[in-house]
């Protein structure tokens, strides 16, 4: 198949559903992933689609592709009440004897005052989360690795290898975007790899996000939409209201 033919078919797929994955293109066209990546790069450079991790989205939803991330100090003040509501409910899912992974992030950090500390062990890639858990008297372990200043998260190969030896009963994660096709996304590939690894080692996964995150797509996918239960506040986006894996935290 000529490049022009492949490009035409890829764009036709995007017209049908606004976003496509590498696997979908591979299944439809029967070509290698390396060829698909070259085609997506070409079409991205031509402005005919927006390449994202694991696939591509149509250019008219480019405004929803987020490539930057605010510092923790700024994000802590955004949707503060919603985060506390979500965090309080999520903390109630933890029981004595659980072995819990707590992802870096402001919403997961909001869980800490509500978490049980007796007979429960926590593992985190956040220095600040570990400190606050320790101050509450919890048994806490922090993975090794390189500190990412913006999110105060530990990332890199050392962090990845540390996580591979664990098996968690529960895991709680933050996400910059939640989308049917792109799944759970974050702007940084190194942080995405840590999130993905941790999710793969959790018996049950929960993604915590306020309503503003739905329909948003960041640069890198770390989990499919169906790979976790989602705890949120009021769900304003009608497209997601019938999803069985979404839990709306009750108002106090």
């Amino acid at each position: 198949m000529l490049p022009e033919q492949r490009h035409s078919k890829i764009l036709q797929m995007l017209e049908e559903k606004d976003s496509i994955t590498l696997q979908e293109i591979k299944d439809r066209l029967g070509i290698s992933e390396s060829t698909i990546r070259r085609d997506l790069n070409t079409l991205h450079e031509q402005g005919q689609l927006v390449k994202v991790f694991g696939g591509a989205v149509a250019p008219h939803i480019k405004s929803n592709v987020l490539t930057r991330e605010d510092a923790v100090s700024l994000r802590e003040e955004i949707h503060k009440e919603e985060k506390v509501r979500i965090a309080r409910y999520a903390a109630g899912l933890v029981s004595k004897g659980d072995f819990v992974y707590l992802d870096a992030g402001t919403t997961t950090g909001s869980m800490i005052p509500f978490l049980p500390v007796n007979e429960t062990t926590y593992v985190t890639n956040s220095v600040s989360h570990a400190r606050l858990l320790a101050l509450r008297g919890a048994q806490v372990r922090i993975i090794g690795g390189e500190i990412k200043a913006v999110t105060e998260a530990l990332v890199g190969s050392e962090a990845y290898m540390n996580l591979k030896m664990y098996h968690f009963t529960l895991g709680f994660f933050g996400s910059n975007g939640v989308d049917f096709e792109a799944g759970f996304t974050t702007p940084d590939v190194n942080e995405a790899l840590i999130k993905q690894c941790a999710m793969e080692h959790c018996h049950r996964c929960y993604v915590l996000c306020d309503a503003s995150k739905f329909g948003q797509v960041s640069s890198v996918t770390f989990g499919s939409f169906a790979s976790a239960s989602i705890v949120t506040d009021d769900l304003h986006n009608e497209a997601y209201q019938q999803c069985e894996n979404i839990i709306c935290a009750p108002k106090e």
Side-chain angles (χ1 to χ4, degrees), residues 98-234:
D98 274 328
F99 187 45
V100 181
Y101 181 76
L102 196 63
D103 183 32
T106 55
T107 309
T108 51
S110 297
M111 293 175 62
I112 294 173
F114 308 109
L115 287 169
V117 295
N118 296 324
E119 301 176 35
T120 306
T121 302
Y122 298 93
V123 177
T124 183
N125 68 325
S126 167
V127 176
S128 58
H129 288 9
R131 179 177 62 83
L132 292 172
L133 283 164
L135 288 173
R136 289 203 59 217
Q139 184 175 350
V140 57
R141 301 175 187 176
I142 187 167
I143 64 173
E146 176 185 353
I147 296 179
K148 180 184 171 187
V150 175
T151 58
E152 300 177 6
L154 288 156
V155 297
S157 58
E158 184 180 351
Y160 185 87
M161 294 305 296
N162 282 176
L163 278 173
K164 288 185 70 174
M165 69 180 181
Y166 289 121
H167 301 280
F168 305 105
T169 57
L170 299 172
F172 297 92
F173 300 84
S175 184
N176 295 73
V178 176
D179 180 79
F180 283 129
E181 298 297 331
F184 306 119
T185 55
T186 185
D188 184 84
V189 65
N190 293 312
E191 195 155 3
L193 287 171
I194 298 303
K195 290 174 183 284
Q196 182 183 51
C197 181
M199 287 183 75
E200 289 172 351
H201 287 76
C202 292
H203 179 65
R204 283 184 289 159
C205 296
Y206 295 90
V207 170
L208 314 185
C209 64
D210 63 77
S212 69
K213 302 291 180 65
F214 288 89
Q216 298 294 313
V217 178
S218 283
S219 306
V220 191
T221 295
F222 62 88
S224 68
F225 184 81
S227 64
S229 296
I230 302 165
V231 182
T232 187
D233 56 316
D234 293 323

Side-chain angles (χ1 to χ4, degrees), residues 10-55:
I10 290 170
L11 293 174
Q12 183 181 348
M13 291 176 69
L14 269 182
E15 286 180 6
E16 295 171 2
K17 55 185 295 190
D18 283 342
S19 64
I20 49 177
T21 65
L22 289 174
Q23 189 61 49
E24 287 172 334
I25 300 170
K26 185 177 180 180
D27 292 342
R28 177 80 72 90
L29 304 186
I31 56 179
S32 68
E33 286 196 10
S34 59
T35 299
I36 296 170
R37 292 180 193 280
R38 286 197 299 272
D39 289 343
L40 293 183
N41 284 335
T42 299
L43 292 168
H44 178 89
E45 291 169 1
Q46 293 173 354
Q48 298 194 68
L49 55 73
V50 179
K51 185 182 176 185
V52 296
F53 185 82

